Amino acid sequence: PPGQEDFVRERLQSQVSEFGLTSATDAKGNLLVAPRPEGHQIVVTAHMDEIAMIVRGLDDYGHLAVGALGGLEPWKIGEGPVQLLTPGGPIDGVLSFGSIHTDDPASTVRQAESGALDWPQVRVLTGLAPEELEEAGVRPGTRVVVHPNRRGLTFLGDLVAGYFLDDRADLVAWLLALESFQGSPPPALFAATVSEEVGGEGALYLLHKIQPDVCIALELGPVVEDAPVELSAQPTVWADDSYSTMSASDGDLVQKVAQQLGLSVQFQALSRGGSDASCAQSHGLCARAITLGLPMANSHGYEVIHPGALDNLARLTVALVEAIAAE
């Protein structure tokens, strides 16, 4: 979850080391691959964090009130097992909307008949008393995540589905791109960033320090009605989003590079969303923002992708970095 990405970073560090590349972690927690003392003009990001929940309070029965960390809606995950990430290790819990056998208008189930469920109506049950939870270190700010037993993948013909493919699948493409440099330092800084889901904090911290010319963010390409794309192996490109607009010349460049690879990229003008790159450009921390995506259905839920898109996104990223570095 945002602000607690240590496990993911350790896994990435191990993989990067196997590629024969060096890495470092900055004060914010971003993982930087083969950083140069003189800085970089191109940065390629994929974020390590996932949408999650955060404890807001605790009642006299040991029931926990929680809110969203990032764009998570309670109806996207529903009732089911979760884990509280405490200093002493994870504690199991269950996300609860209450029982259905009531006509009480104050009950969550009756309120849900006339409006969408929201976080004030949600509780996490642990079976522990308030003093036991407090002794374990549970407090406002404790992160709550979907339980590991709900994180398996489901294969649907040519597609694969699971929670948190945003941004896990993009991290795979990020690693595939790094692997293609075969142990030689890439002509760009590859950064696995923290806290993207809560405003792009990791990228903003990093890019404020180095202010590169170009930031390329690896993201999802949501399958939505107002910016349609096919759920296929062909990568997407964000022409516009909630934070900034990609330059026309960079759109032409991405299309040209893709055509040279035999890919047909899918452009999107999103009415909602943001990436490390677009957030940074909106703050004046890079001159050019390019967001490349994996076509994805059910974004911020049980997400569905075409696995062939991972390799295509990696190929496009490498070729684009090389083209920009040669400018």
Side-chain angles (χ1 to χ4, degrees):
Q4 203 167 348
E5 298 91 348
D6 309 65
F7 176 75
V8 179
R9 182 170 51 247
E10 289 168 5
R11 292 292 299 271
L12 292 174
Q13 282 175 314
S14 175
Q15 191 65 62
V16 166
S17 178
E18 289 187 20
F19 295 161
L21 297 169
T22 61
S23 64
T25 302
D26 68 14
K28 184 67 175 174
N30 299 308
L31 179 65
L32 314 177
V33 178
R36 298 190 206 124
E38 68 274 16
H40 294 262
Q41 294 307 308
I42 308 169
V43 176
V44 179
T45 73
H47 64 87
M48 294 186 285
D49 60 318
E50 65 185 42
I51 51 175
M53 293 156 278
I54 186 169
V55 173
R56 300 286 186 193
L58 174 69
D59 69 18
D60 293 340
Y61 302 99
H63 300 165
L64 300 170
V66 294
L69 264 181
L72 180 62
E73 299 290 348
W75 52 268
K76 274 286 191 176
I77 52 175
E79 289 183 330
V82 296
Q83 282 191 333
L84 286 69
L85 303 184
T86 74
I91 294 176
D92 289 346
V94 171
L95 204 67
S96 172
F97 302 141
S99 296
I100 197 170
H101 294 88
T102 177
D103 284 328
D104 183 349
S107 67
T108 296
V109 67
R110 298 284 76 88
Q111 292 178 38
E113 291 176 338
S114 58
L117 289 172
D118 207 351
W119 290 107
Q121 300 163 300
V122 178
R123 292 294 180 267
V124 172
L125 312 182
T126 65
L128 300 178
E131 56 271 19
E132 293 176 295
L133 290 167
E134 291 174 3
E135 186 177 345
V138 177
R139 54 168 175 75
T142 296
R143 271 58 169 172
V144 183
V145 298
V146 170
H147 198 280
N149 68 17
R150 299 182 72 187
R151 291 172 178 264
L153 298 177
T154 300
F155 295 89
L156 310 167
D158 292 335
L159 305 175
V160 62
Y163 284 118
F164 313 119
L165 300 180
D166 169 27
D167 209 35
R168 297 291 188 266
D170 291 286
L171 286 171
V172 173
W174 184 87
L175 285 169
L176 288 170
L178 276 171
E179 185 180 30
S180 72
F181 291 104
Q182 300 180 342
S184 300
L189 177 66
F190 276 66
T193 58
V194 299
S195 297
E196 188 273 346
E197 296 289 4
V198 289
E201 289 180 5
L204 294 181
Y205 174 82
L206 172 64
L207 271 63
H208 178 76
K209 298 180 71 173
I210 62 177
Q211 294 197 339
D213 290 343
V214 184
C215 180
I216 301 171
L218 306 187
E219 266 290 350
L220 59 86
V223 177
V224 290
E225 289 78 4
D226 57 352
V229 293
E230 291 185 3
L231 190 57
S232 71
Q234 299 303 316
T236 68
V237 186
W238 294 14
D240 188 35
D241 64 33
S242 302
Y243 290 86
S244 68
T245 302
M246 182 177 65
S247 71
S249 59
D250 278 333
D252 294 340
L253 175 62
V254 173
Q255 189 159 38
K256 177 182 176 181
V257 169
Q259 288 173 345
Q260 291 171 345
L261 296 172
L263 300 175
S264 54
V265 290
Q266 307 182 76
F267 283 85
Q268 292 185 282
L270 295 175
S271 59
R272 183 182 179 90
S275 72
D276 280 341
S278 65
C279 288
Q281 181 170 263
S282 72
H283 285 74
L285 302 182
C286 67
R288 299 159 60 186
I290 301 173
T291 302
L292 308 177
L294 299 166
M296 185 176 293
N298 295 350
S299 59
H300 284 202
Y302 201 75
E303 295 163 332
V304 185
I305 63 171
H306 191 298
L310 278 69
D311 187 58
N312 286 337
L313 179 58
R315 292 170 55 219
L316 178 59
T317 300
V318 171
L320 186 59
V321 165
E322 292 175 337
I324 294 172
E327 288 178 349

